[in-house]
Amino acid sequence: MNINIIDRDFNFLGQIDNYESLILTKKWHSIGNFELHLNINNTHAEYLQKENIIFTTEKKAYVILHREMNSANRKMTVKGLELKSYLDRWLVFPPEDRAYFRINDNTETIMKEYVQATLDRKGITDIVVAPDQGKGEKTVYQSRYKNLAKELEKLSLASGLGWDIALDMDNKRFVFDVIEGQNKTA
C-alpha cells in the first residue's frame, strides 16, 4: 500500500511504499489514529513533518502530529490523527444573540450547522460542509463553549450516524460529511 504525502495546501510532496509497518485506525463516532514505522533514510521520509498529511485514499487521510527518530538504529516513528481531528481544535460558540446554540432538527443538520458556524466564525475556507441530506432522527440539541469534536461524538453515539473529513484532491479542499452505516449482514 502506497502512502502519499501532501502539505495543508495540497502540494504533493512524495510517496512512500517501503516501510516496516503502518497501522491505520478509523473510528465511526470519534477520532482514529495512525502509526508508521520506517527507516530514516527512506525516500521522502523528510516530508513526514508535523501538520503534513498522509493518505492511502481520499477517505483515509491523517494529519501528522508527532515524529520520533532513533539515530542508533536509523528508525523513525510517525504518529497522527484522522483529518477530523481538526474539529477537536475548536469550540462550539452560540450565536451572538443567544446564550446557547440550540437546534431542533435532524441529527445530520445539527452536526453540519455546528461545523459550518465554527468554520464561518474562524474564517476557514478550505474545509467545506457537504450538502445536508436530512439523515437521522429529529431531535433538540444545545451546546455552549464545548469542544466541537466531542459534541459531534455525542450526537454520533446517540444517532448511530458517523462523521468524517475526507480529501477532495480535485478541488484542493477538505469535506466534512455525516455518514449513515450500512447493514452488511448476509
Side-chain angles (χ1 to χ4, degrees):
M1 179 177 351
N2 291 332
I3 300 169
N4 300 295
I5 310 165
I6 60 173
D7 63 16
R8 179 74 194 249
D9 296 322
F10 287 84
N11 297 311
F12 183 76
L13 302 175
Q15 188 176 70
I16 295 175
D17 60 0
N18 183 19
Y19 50 89
E20 292 176 18
S21 72
L22 172 65
I23 302 166
L24 302 174
T25 306
K26 296 260 318 153
K27 295 204 175 174
W28 186 255
H29 299 295
S30 60
I31 300 169
N33 57 29
F34 83 92
E35 187 169 320
L36 171 66
H37 296 266
L38 68 159
N39 188 292
I40 291 173
N41 297 323
N42 272 24
T43 305
H44 304 300
E46 68 274 13
Y47 297 120
L48 296 170
Q49 299 286 334
K50 188 174 182 175
E51 294 299 324
N52 280 347
I53 296 164
I54 67 161
F55 66 98
T56 55
T57 69
E58 289 187 3
K59 293 188 179 208
K60 286 189 179 178
Y62 301 80
V63 60
I64 298 170
L65 298 175
H66 177 77
R67 180 173 95 155
E68 281 179 32
M69 292 195 273
N70 184 333
S71 56
N73 62 8
R74 313 291 297 160
K75 302 291 181 197
M76 178 189 299
T77 302
V78 183
K79 297 178 184 181
L81 298 171
E82 285 183 273
L83 288 181
K84 61 184 176 178
S85 66
Y86 288 142
L87 303 180
D88 194 41
R89 300 175 183 187
W90 305 312
L91 300 177
V92 175
F93 277 77
E96 287 186 25
D97 59 337
R98 293 188 259 161
Y100 285 88
F101 199 152
R102 180 183 171 95
I103 304 173
N104 181 1
D105 214 323
N106 61 62
T107 307
E108 178 185 18
T109 302
I110 296 169
M111 295 169 87
K112 287 185 174 179
E113 282 194 29
Y114 281 171
V115 171
Q116 188 63 59
T118 302
L119 296 174
D120 292 345
R121 184 176 56 79
K122 293 290 212 176
I124 296 167
T125 57
D126 61 347
I127 301 176
V128 297
V129 176
D132 194 339
Q133 304 294 316
K135 300 171 189 164
E137 298 290 320
K138 189 165 179 149
T139 188
V140 177
Y141 196 82
Q142 69 181 19
S143 183
R144 178 179 183 210
Y145 307 121
K146 293 190 178 173
N147 181 282
L148 177 58
K150 295 294 181 203
E151 293 297 277
L152 295 173
E153 183 178 345
K154 287 178 191 174
L155 286 160
S156 176
L157 287 165
S159 67
L161 296 171
W163 57 285
D164 202 2
I165 292 181
L167 296 172
D168 179 356
M169 296 298 290
D170 295 333
N171 297 306
K172 296 188 176 197
R173 63 186 185 174
F174 305 94
V175 180
F176 171 81
D177 205 0
V178 175
I179 311 145
E180 267 184 311
Q182 296 177 349
N183 184 352
K184 299 234 177 186
T185 57

